[in-house]
Amino acid sequence: MNPSFLTGLNERQLEAVTLPHQSALILAGAGSGKTRVLTMRIAWLIDSGQASPASVLAVTFTNKAAKEMLIRISAMLPINTRGMWVGTFHGLCNRMLRAHHREAKLPQLFQILDSQDQLALIRRLLKAANVDEEKFPPKQAAWYINGHKEEGRRAHEADEHDDFNRRMKEIYARYEEQCQREGVVDFAELLLRCYELLAHNEALREHYLSRFKHILVDEFQDTNRLQYRWLKLLAGKENAIFAVGDDDQSIYAFRGASAANMQDLQKDFAVEKVIKLEQNYRSHGYILDAANALIARNQRRLGKNLWTVDTKGELLRVYEAATDLEEAGFIVEEVKSLHREGVALADIALLYRSNAQSRVLEHALFSAGLAYRVYGGQRFFERQEVKHALAYLRLLASDDDDSALLRIINFPTRGIGSRTLEQIQDMAAARNISLWSAAKEKTGMLQAPAAVPGKGLAGFIVMIEALRVATQGLKLPEVVAHVIEHSGLKTYYQTEKEGRDRLENLDELVNAAAAFVGDVQQEDTGLATFLAHAALEAGDNQAQAGVDALQLMTAHSAKGLEFHSVFISGLEEGLFPHENSMVENDGLEEERRLMYVALTRARRRLYLSYAQSRMLHGQTRYSIASSFFQEIPELLMLRINRSPAARFIAPSTVGARMQPESAGTQSSSPWRIGQNVAHPKFGNGVIVNAEGRGADARVQVNFGRDGLKWLALEYAKLTAA
DNA sequence: TTCCAACTGTTTTTT
DNA sequence: ACAGTTGGAA
């Protein structure tokens, strides 16, 4: 009696979807229908009467994935998805903490700090405590704090085996204290606080244990240790975890993701059978062959091989360019020809390892008049003008929010200088009160000097209180509009010459509030909920959707997407795989997984390109081809290089221009910058720098995986390669 | 308060 | 190369 929506599943998929009530691990390869299986599992559980919508909890990493899941479920089942808990880890934890804020020892309207806010708060604490920011950089403190929280460790549980750690621990403790005083939580805190809430409150745990019989997790390989512990707590002994993931696509170890959770899940939940989804519905055969061969080099794998019933398709096209400029030129020409053949621009992706690489590509595309869209960069709710407006709203929602107050107390400027600020900060610190209270007290003591009305500390306080009164009883979008208008933000950006875009964004914020209120999924449309929404869902960062434009993004952001044609550019040793990854544990394996993700984005055509020289950080760098080229069978690749003559001339010209001072070295010896060389011990490399002459002449060679080496020409047994 | 010069740190990113 | 930040002078 399989419902009609199950037709069209392959055997493995069907097995996964209709598994009996038990914990399971679905190893779902790229393009194997992972999201389909996950959503159908939910639909099947409900449709077959095994589960009520309220007993389902589904977790994803991004809001986009959560929305997608809800849409697909609604399409299959005529049910109200409101009772279902589908969301991101952070979103679900937020929901739980709001519902039980008292038990979690949080104010009802607790605010959420994004990473910017968190860093600002840490900076503030370091300054107040007179900590040397050189020795204890705020970024490192943030990393330390978040790392500890993700390990489930509070400040009092932190190590103090050396001076550095003792100091960090102290900062962590102060930070915890300050957050609690202000009633704010950072992203990691959402998870940890929720975890502790469930761990320490048995009645509550029992409540949720008896409710969520079915826990489903998307992208399980991306979970961190704390998220796994949270899941474990929610599952208890009776409930089933249905985890879908792909260890080969684990590319977020650097932010705490632990693919080891896949092994732990099998152990902790006695998972008997791991179901592998290996049939790929996306790519042609050669593309999969290349991806399979590459990823097979990794040692730590659960093991998986993608296959397709589709044709072998086209070989991978490999292009070696002399310079990054030339590489970009090649890509532009190929894109044009693909477009002429009828491939939509939006169905073509240009992938690269790091964001800095997009510039030269953008330049070439712009000159060629090709429409393109760059992913990444600043998101809507992270823009300064939007954050300013949100800070006003935050202060209206809660007096205690020092972070919000500091952001806007003198913006737009109203004559509150650093001295005044220091005074109220000292007063607040000494008496452990909020800056708002301190400010009020100070102006009270000074009898509100008859200065320019609306200026100074008193002016600020009067204004905030006026805003509070005026927005009483208004609807959310009206509140937002009123605050933008009467805080002085609007006037400020109207007079700024670069303020037009910012004004538009402020208008957009009012629209966002209206959309939020109009969203049927949203039960509570109060100010605090909107602020949480803004923090948890930073918003899209790209405008003009729907236009047919080429897609530019990093390999990381391409995960989960697919395109007719994909260009992977900058495939140079040191860039991709990135040199920094070599010092990390299993760094190369993670780079290889990233390359695997990039390869498997392509449905039909795949281009791999690299440049012998490239501008990076303001200097020309010379590199050899990525070692990944040696890991893909040569038979799968079609080399489409331009004429050898051009290849010979280009690098030496560039080298001579960039390094005029070493011209002597160059003319008197057979070596030149950009030259490919071979060394008996280090293998192939490229000369990237030179100094000295005669017997003192030394050259710096980039050996790729072995790094940069200075070699004395007199002794080193270098040969031209 | 505002402006400009000097200085810094540049892998990947979601919440 | 370049963007973002900081410090000092006006």
Side-chain angles (χ1 to χ4, degrees):
Chain A
M1 51 153 281
N2 287 344
S4 60
F5 59 72
L6 289 183
T7 53
L9 291 182
N10 70 36
E11 234 174 273
R12 300 285 106 212
Q13 290 174 327
L14 187 67
E15 183 188 2
V17 167
T18 60
L19 226 46
H21 188 259
Q22 66 188 34
S23 286
L25 178 60
I26 315 300
L27 205 51
S32 66
K34 168 185 69 103
T35 312
R36 194 153 169 242
V37 165
L38 197 55
T39 50
M40 280 206 189
R41 168 75 176 174
I42 296 175
W44 180 78
L45 283 171
I46 294 172
D47 189 72
S48 64
Q50 298 176 66
S52 69
S55 70
V56 171
L57 181 126
V59 208
T60 62
F61 274 85
T62 65
N63 292 298
K64 197 174 152 200
K67 267 185 209 143
E68 169 84 18
M69 203 179 282
L70 279 172
I71 290 170
R72 292 218 203 175
I73 295 169
S74 311
M76 282 184 277
L77 293 179
I79 56 158
N80 187 353
T81 52
R82 254 187 170 186
M84 253 191 274
W85 280 47
V86 177
T88 63
F89 278 99
H90 294 85
L92 296 175
C93 286
N94 176 53
R95 190 167 171 179
M96 233 178 248
L97 290 173
R98 299 268 167 205
H100 312 288
H101 64 91
R102 227 180 267 275
E103 293 90 333
K105 298 191 175 64
L106 285 171
Q108 187 180 5
L109 302 182
F110 69 84
Q111 296 295 316
I112 298 166
L113 298 183
D114 66 19
S115 339
Q116 277 179 51
D117 299 330
Q118 182 188 39
L119 202 61
L121 199 156
I122 291 171
R123 279 219 173 87
R124 196 144 47 82
L125 286 176
L126 292 179
K127 224 163 250 159
N130 263 325
V131 175
D132 184 0
E133 290 200 9
E134 303 270 284
K135 273 160 112 179
F136 304 93
K139 274 201 182 134
Q140 216 168 332
W143 182 82
Y144 174 96
I145 291 169
N146 293 332
H148 276 75
K149 288 189 178 184
E150 276 164 23
E151 290 296 323
R153 230 174 310 167
R154 289 295 180 186
H156 65 88
E157 296 161 304
D159 283 341
E160 39 187 271
H161 50 75
D162 59 28
D163 266 1
F164 183 82
N165 279 278
R166 258 193 295 284
R167 203 57 187 272
M168 281 292 174
K169 178 177 170 158
E170 228 174 274
I171 296 166
Y172 182 13
R174 273 170 186 265
Y175 174 80
E176 274 186 338
E177 208 178 295
Q178 182 66 19
C179 285
Q180 188 62 28
R181 224 230 67 236
E182 290 189 37
V184 295
V185 298
D186 58 47
F187 288 132
E189 184 72 25
L190 278 173
L191 290 164
L192 181 54
R193 196 60 82 97
C194 186
Y195 171 81
E196 288 171 345
L197 174 70
L198 291 168
H200 300 152
N201 192 321
E202 204 178 327
L204 236 124
R205 188 169 67 246
E206 289 300 329
H207 167 76
Y208 284 109
L209 275 173
S210 66
R211 174 173 177 171
F212 297 126
K213 302 283 183 214
H214 309 274
I215 298 168
L216 300 98
V217 194
D218 189 21
E219 304 275 18
F220 186 69
Q221 78 283 351
D222 288 340
T223 49
N224 66 33
R225 302 304 290 182
L226 181 57
Q227 286 161 341
Y228 180 63
R229 284 169 63 185
W230 184 81
L231 287 169
K232 230 172 116 175
L233 207 53
L234 269 178
K237 291 223 172 3
E238 306 291 326
N239 302 330
I241 294 186
F242 186 90
V244 181
D246 181 0
D247 57 329
D248 290 335
Q249 292 189 71
S250 162
I251 54 173
Y252 288 115
F254 70 91
R255 65 176 197 212
S258 163
N261 286 341
M262 300 185 97
Q263 278 90 355
D264 287 2
L265 181 87
Q266 293 179 59
K267 259 191 287 144
D268 297 343
F269 290 87
V271 173
E272 284 158 32
K273 194 156 61 170
V274 176
I275 297 182
K276 292 184 186 177
L277 305 181
E278 299 176 287
Q279 182 174 0
N280 176 290
Y281 296 94
R282 178 185 296 155
S283 311
H284 274 169
Y286 285 139
I287 294 171
L288 295 181
D289 291 348
N292 282 331
L294 180 98
I295 202 66
R297 303 264 177 164
N298 274 4
Q299 301 297 308
R300 305 152 181 273
R301 297 180 67 212
L302 296 175
K304 203 166 26 48
N305 220 38
L306 297 175
W307 58 274
T308 179
V309 295
D310 227 321
T311 102
K312 282 293 183 189
E314 300 175 358
L315 293 171
L316 282 61
R317 299 169 187 233
V318 177
Y319 184 77
E320 177 192 57
T323 67
D324 48 352
L325 245 78
E326 198 214 296
E327 181 190 35
F330 164 76
I331 291 173
V332 164
E333 288 311 312
E334 289 296 314
V335 167
K336 276 189 190 160
S337 112
L338 277 165
H339 193 41
R340 273 197 301 272
E341 288 166 27
V343 182
L345 288 178
D347 213 4
I348 304 172
L350 305 195
L351 308 185
Y352 34 80
R353 175 66 238 267
S354 63
N355 286 305
Q357 289 165 250
S358 76
R359 271 189 64 256
V360 63
L361 294 170
E362 284 184 69
H363 186 80
L365 291 168
F366 186 83
S367 307
L370 282 167
Y372 65 90
R373 208 165 103 188
V374 187
Y375 285 75
Q378 208 166 34
R379 331 269 294 282
F380 179 71
F381 285 113
E382 288 169 355
R383 292 169 190 282
Q384 70 146 13
E385 63 277 18
V386 175
K387 294 218 77 170
H388 282 316
L390 290 175
Y392 277 99
L393 294 166
R394 273 168 58 179
L395 195 60
L396 291 190
S398 159
D399 280 355
D400 288 329
D401 197 333
D402 291 358
S403 306
L405 180 138
L406 281 170
R407 191 175 183 104
I408 52 165
I409 190 165
N410 199 33
F411 190 95
T413 52
R414 45 178 74 86
I416 299 174
S418 50
R419 228 187 64 244
T420 316
L421 218 50
E422 241 167 70
Q423 285 172 352
I424 60 169
Q425 278 177 311
D426 286 348
M427 194 189 293
R431 313 227 328 260
N432 195 29
I433 55 174
S434 68
L435 291 177
W436 173 255
S437 308
K440 266 179 97 166
E441 223 167 281
K442 182 167 154 56
T443 51
M445 285 186 328
L446 298 175
Q447 297 288 336
V452 198
K455 286 270 166 187
L457 203 50
F460 174 70
I461 290 170
V462 167
M463 184 191 71
I464 295 294
E465 298 204 308
L467 285 176
R468 198 167 279 153
V469 171
T471 54
Q472 207 65 246
L474 292 186
K475 293 206 176 65
L476 182 62
E478 297 163 357
V479 173
V480 177
H482 183 95
V483 165
I484 290 170
E485 178 84 43
H486 293 90
S487 59
L489 280 180
K490 197 165 191 170
T491 324
Y492 176 83
Y493 287 119
Q494 273 165 347
T495 49
E496 274 291 286
K497 44 183 186 298
E498 304 289 324
R500 184 166 296 174
D501 287 351
R502 303 209 189 265
L503 276 174
E504 270 175 30
N505 286 328
L506 289 177
D507 281 341
E508 201 46 51
L509 182 61
V510 180
N511 293 339
F516 179 78
V517 171
D519 186 355
V520 284
Q521 291 281 331
Q522 205 61 53
E523 293 167 42
D524 176 1
T525 54
L527 175 57
T529 318
F530 177 65
L531 291 171
H533 163 84
L536 286 176
E537 192 165 346
D540 266 341
N541 40 26
Q542 70 271 1
Q544 37 133 23
V547 180
D548 183 36
L550 207 61
Q551 313 281 302
L552 272 69
M553 65 191 85
T554 63
H556 280 91
S557 11
K559 191 165 91 155
L561 306 176
E562 63 172 63
F563 307 89
H564 174 280
S565 296
V566 170
F567 292 79
I568 308 175
S569 65
L571 281 167
E572 292 128 42
E573 195 67 11
L575 200 57
F576 198 179
H578 199 280
E579 54 202 357
N580 292 6
S581 71
M582 300 306 158
V583 295
E584 283 155 29
N585 255 350
D586 298 317
L588 182 60
E589 295 220 343
E590 175 136 322
E591 293 292 302
R592 201 176 276 123
R593 289 191 293 269
L594 184 58
M595 181 64 180
Y596 174 78
V597 166
L599 292 171
T600 52
R601 297 311 97 195
R603 290 201 300 270
R604 296 295 171 256
R605 189 179 287 189
L606 189 51
Y607 290 89
L608 311 178
S609 61
Y610 62 101
Q612 294 171 328
S613 78
R614 167 181 307 278
M615 273 304 246
L616 204 66
H617 308 322
Q619 331 192 62
T620 310
R621 296 229 329 196
Y622 298 85
S623 316
I624 54 176
S626 166
S627 50
F628 292 150
F629 282 109
Q630 292 153 44
E631 306 182 351
I632 295 171
E634 195 61 41
L635 283 170
L636 299 175
M637 298 189 283
L638 179 67
R639 305 265 175 181
I640 45 174
N641 291 333
R642 88 215 92 74
S643 70
R647 195 160 69 234
F648 175 74
I649 293 163
S652 65
T653 325
V654 172
R657 186 155 45 83
M658 301 311 292
Q659 299 285 337
E661 70 279 1
S662 56
T665 318
Q666 283 180 31
S667 58
S668 65
S669 77
W671 310 109
R672 59 183 168 75
I673 306 248
Q675 162 137 33
N676 290 316
V677 294
H679 185 275
K681 183 156 164 238
F682 303 125
N684 288 333
V686 188
I687 299 182
V688 299
N689 210 345
E691 64 175 34
R693 53 183 69 218
D696 293 329
R698 301 194 306 146
V699 291
Q700 193 181 30
V701 183
N702 184 352
F703 287 107
R705 212 172 278 183
D706 285 323
L708 289 173
K709 305 259 191 277
W710 276 105
L711 302 169
L713 281 177
E714 203 177 357
Y715 306 109
K717 294 185 175 57
L718 277 186
T719 48

